[in-house]
Amino acid sequence: MGELGIALIAAGSALGGSALTGLFTVAAGRRQAAAARYAGDEQARAVINTVNRTLDEQRAARVEAARRQVYTQFLMAFNEALHLLQPRNPGSARRSGLEKANTLHGLVDLEGPEDVRVAASAMMHVLVDLADVCDRTSSYGRPEPEYEAGVGRCTAARRIFLTTTHAVLHGDA
């Protein structure tokens, strides 16, 4: 075998080694690309999950703020109506207070949840009952025991509403 044969064997070995090294390099590159793609997908999922959690928290905060505002407005209207529901006040003033409380009661119905709706409805029920007592009571003289009992029921209903809304707004429910 001459120098030419040795050169051909050496060139063939070099080409074979280069081809084999190239195959290993391509395989390793593919594995690295797959790993990088997987890592990128996982990172994208993590970012999406974080964004979704943030949006959910913001949505919950908006719902809580809207509920808090509606509950507060209803409670203020209830207190105002209760103040106006006295036998000595004219019927128009008493009706005006009831109408405002009833309007805001509708907003409480929209905001919910069910426990708060029930408590607000109970408040409106005792308020209407008290208005009926006022309509039957003379504008002169001392309040009748039925009136005082109605005021007591309104106070109890308000206390239940406050307890219920507190539980909803502070996560106790």
Side-chain angles (χ1 to χ4, degrees), residues 2 22 63 80 84 93 95 99 102 107 109 115 125 147 152 156-157 167 172:
V63 166
E80 181 182 337
L84 291 171
R95 280 189 302 280
E99 287 172 6
N102 192 47
L107 293 178
D109 267 348
D115 291 349
H125 182 73
Y147 175 80
D172 301 338

Side-chain angles (χ1 to χ4, degrees), residues 1-12:
M1 206 188 260
E3 288 182 23
L4 182 63
I6 294 174
L8 285 175
I9 290 174

Side-chain angles (χ1 to χ4, degrees), residues 75 78 119-127 151-164:
L75 188 59
F78 177 85
S121 292
M123 287 173 74
M124 285 307 300
H125 182 73
V126 295
L127 207 56
V151 171
R153 285 190 297 276
C154 286
T155 301
R158 179 183 336 143
R159 194 174 312 114
I160 292 169
F161 179 78
L162 287 171
T163 301
T164 305

Side-chain angles (χ1 to χ4, degrees), residues 71-144:
Y71 299 164
T72 301
Q73 289 174 345
F74 174 67
L75 188 59
M76 289 170 53
F78 177 85
N79 290 338
E80 181 182 337
L82 185 58
H83 177 73
L84 291 171
L85 284 176
Q86 296 180 18
R88 62 177 156 69
N89 286 339
S92 61
R94 294 192 308 252
R95 280 189 302 280
S96 172
L98 275 176
E99 287 172 6
K100 183 176 180 181
N102 192 47
T103 299
L104 289 163
H105 173 251
L107 293 178
V108 172
D109 267 348
L110 288 174
E111 288 296 326
E114 186 63 25
D115 291 349
V116 175
R117 285 185 194 126
V118 168
S121 292
M123 287 173 74
M124 285 307 300
H125 182 73
V126 295
L127 207 56
V128 169
D129 287 350
L130 186 61
D132 290 342
V133 170
C134 286
D135 289 343
R136 291 191 313 265
T137 302
S138 168
S139 61
Y140 303 103
R142 296 182 340 172
E144 296 181 13

